[in-house]
Amino acid sequence: MDFLPIFLNIRERPCLVIGGGNVAERKVSLLLDAGARVTVISTELCDNLKELQEQNIIEYRQGEYTEDDLSGKALVIAATDNHAVNESISSWANQHNVPVNVVDNPDLGSFIMPSIIDRSPVQIAISTGGSSPVLARTLRSKLESMIPSAYGRLGELMEENREMAKQVFSSVDERRYFWERILSGPVVEMVMAGQDARAREYLSQEFKDAQNKQHHDVGEVYLVGAGPGDPDLLTFRALRLMQQADVVVYDRLVSKQILDLVRRDADRIYVGKERSNHAVPQEDINHLLARLGKEGKKVCRLKGGDPFIFGRGGEEIDTLMQQEVPFQVVPAVTAASGAASYAGIPLTHRDYSQSVVFATGHLKDGSMNLNWDGLAQPNQTIVFYMGLQGLDVICRELIAHGMPSDTPIALVQKATTPEQKVVTGVLESMPQAVKDSDIKPPTLIIVGKVVTLHERLNWFQH
Ligand code: SAH
């Protein structure tokens, strides 16, 4: 993060704009909207600023600024058309810790002005860190059209009821649950439809009901599949639950980008799962989830890929079921689908493969207890999860059970992420090829004739 986004309260605070042209005027009008006391210093004023001066809305001083003018200001905007002047304003202000923005050179100042979507009291500020104002504006117009103007009134309604919520609900969590429920209920539609009075009535009824019911919020565990890595592959439901969780329990396969989408204030518990070094034993994870749920928490158990494909999701909900903790399961794109799509290897194909099997390639005591005869079938694709360490065994056993030694095989490392790497070869020579490479887990193994399609259909490149 190059900048810290904040919203500054400058109501009744002295702010200084140096410069009197159109650019200065736009900044002045923003400062006035935020309730600041604005002084403009400039050799001359454009018509609109003149008008503001005549109406005593701004204070104006004709001439050059001095350092005394800068000192003690809540913020300063350098908007002259003289680059050297702007530069000396910013250099003094920076030295004296007065927040300063330089309109023609954002790098000089201590803060930059974002693109704004104003639905006061709701405000959205967008910044590209100065890298592309056009990109910021494009995003802004997208959001403008997505966020109805009624959001402002919705914000007001909530503001009006903040005190009430504090009286009715003593804890922060209770208040948050209440508002989350309200915001996913009919009140929003009422406000959007302009039926504010009805919305107010509904809300006050909700408060009354909450006061009468001594209700105890039970927790819930969300067993959420996070997909193979690319955050765009999350489901809507996954994202929604990630954003309302109090605690997130995640492991190594969950990418940082995805973790960044979890509600900021949520506690994060890492229960990593390194190969053969389970940071927290599965049994403990099961009990941890149950305990957090019983404490009334909304727990997001975030797992790589799909929770029910080599994810031990079944064991986790089994414990929750036994201990009567409510839960829900959110499916996701499993590594096989992600790797297949992003590597251009269709798992089935009319010419090559009429079935696909997902198998675990996890080594136990140096071997794999699999039905090799069933796997080594022609016209079938086999996908091995967790198979990198056991690649030797996989290739040897498949050949031993009748698969031609030149059967195509692909390894897909970190599928769907910018570090995706695909290595293709044949059963016989792949183990050696991998020893000579720097392929790392997580890696998925795909065996079958469909692998030959990779060369033609490979579309995902960085
Ligand atoms: N529940 C997960 C699988 C967990 S088992 C799912 O549905 O995808 C862990 C194995 O999944 C890893 O050893 C690797 O074989 C595979 N895997 C998970 N994410 C992957 C990725 N982004 N790229 C390649 N393989 C991946």
Side-chain angles (χ1 to χ4, degrees), residues 273 306-313 358-361 383-386:
K273 277 207 175 170
D306 181 279
F308 278 7
I309 296 179
F310 303 123
R312 307 192 72 169
F358 294 171
T360 163
V383 181
F384 288 96
Y385 287 69
M386 300 171 279

Side-chain angles (χ1 to χ4, degrees), residues 191-218:
V191 175
M192 296 298 142
Q195 303 168 329
D196 291 26
R198 217 178 123 212
R200 285 200 167 75
E201 219 167 274
Y202 182 94
L203 202 53
S204 73
Q205 189 58 46
E206 285 283 328
F207 278 126
K208 274 186 210 138
D209 290 352
Q211 266 167 328
N212 295 338
K213 250 187 282 164
Q214 277 294 341
H215 75 169
H216 164 70
D217 244 321
V218 267

